[in-house]
Amino acid sequence: MDREEKDYVLEKIMIEYGNELVRLAFSYVKDAESAKDLVQNTFIKCYKNLDSYRYDAQIKTWLYRITINECKDYLKSWNYRMVQVKSFVNETAKSILPSTEKTVIDKYNNDEIKDTIFSLPKVYREVIYLYYYDSLKAEEIAEVLDIPVNTVKTRLRRAKHRLELMMKEAEFSGR
């Protein structure tokens, strides 16, 4: 594949999958700018390895796999840990300042659901995200995460059960 062809293919890939890869990365790192940077790294790796790409997997699952690996590497990095410390300090400072009641009420429902999902262990959070937010089938999730399909189904069932219990508990406690 010559350079022009690679440039063309990469451009099409970026247009078609860019937004969903950013959402996927965000589900891991929970920071929009970091998610965009990680997806940029995904596209760089994609471009470099386009010649060696084997067409035995869908390009989408290949990109998901690269993005997830980028996210996992990032979450282990020193940079991420420093960002977390700064974020904690900023959030603590913001929580001291009073917020308006309307903003809290408007954001409550969506934030509660997101927070509940983000509070799940990673193995459950990633299958829930891929299944509900990216509309992947269990077989595609298995390929992306490199786990058996039955493991995906088990994790989905357990994640749904945990979410149900967490929502009931939140409702019961009158949050």
Side-chain angles (χ1 to χ4, degrees):
M1 188 179 289
D2 69 9
R3 188 167 180 239
E4 265 184 43
E5 286 177 305
K6 281 177 76 171
D7 289 352
Y8 176 75
V9 169
L10 181 68
E11 185 177 340
K12 286 187 69 86
I13 288 171
M14 290 171 71
I15 291 167
E16 188 168 345
Y17 299 109
N19 288 335
E20 51 185 283
L21 293 176
V22 170
R23 286 192 302 273
L24 174 65
F26 182 82
S27 77
Y28 278 84
V29 300
K30 298 170 192 65
D31 177 67
E33 291 307 311
S34 297
K36 289 176 188 173
D37 290 344
L38 291 166
V39 170
Q40 198 66 34
N41 292 346
T42 296
F43 288 135
I44 290 168
K45 283 188 177 178
C46 171
Y47 186 82
K48 286 180 180 176
N49 295 300
L50 214 45
D51 291 328
S52 63
Y53 172 68
R54 298 180 327 252
Y55 290 87
D56 59 348
Q58 287 186 358
I59 194 95
K60 181 177 180 176
T61 55
W62 184 56
L63 292 168
Y64 270 52
R65 175 67 136 256
I66 295 170
T67 303
I68 288 171
N69 288 338
E70 284 291 314
C71 292
K72 288 178 178 179
D73 290 346
Y74 173 75
L75 292 172
K76 293 177 195 170
S77 73
W78 175 253
N79 180 45
Y80 170 72
R81 292 188 179 127
M82 292 312 297
V83 168
Q84 289 303 101
V85 169
K86 288 178 186 173
S87 176
F88 174 74
V89 170
N90 287 340
E91 290 302 314
T92 303
K94 284 180 190 173
S95 69
I96 295 169
L97 302 172
S99 61
T100 62
E101 187 175 338
K102 184 182 181 333
T103 304
V104 173
I105 291 170
D106 288 346
K107 292 183 69 184
Y108 180 76
N109 286 334
N110 283 339
D111 285 350
E112 181 182 4
I113 293 168
K114 271 192 261 177
D115 289 346
T116 304
I117 291 170
F118 282 141
S119 70
L120 288 171
K122 184 180 68 92
V123 294
Y124 298 138
R125 186 175 63 234
E126 63 190 2
V127 293
I128 288 288
Y129 180 84
L130 293 171
Y131 188 78
Y132 288 105
Y133 290 94
D134 279 339
S135 303
L136 294 183
K137 296 178 181 126
E139 293 77 14
E140 293 172 312
I141 296 170
E143 192 173 333
V144 166
L145 299 177
D146 196 27
I147 58 175
V149 176
N150 284 337
T151 303
V152 171
K153 291 176 182 176
T154 300
R155 288 180 183 177
L156 273 171
R157 189 176 62 253
R158 289 178 181 169
K160 289 178 196 175
H161 181 69
R162 281 186 180 212
L163 283 171
E164 187 180 336
L165 291 175
M166 293 164 85
M167 296 300 246
K168 284 181 182 176
E169 182 180 309
E171 190 179 304
F172 181 72
S173 65
R175 285 206 320 180

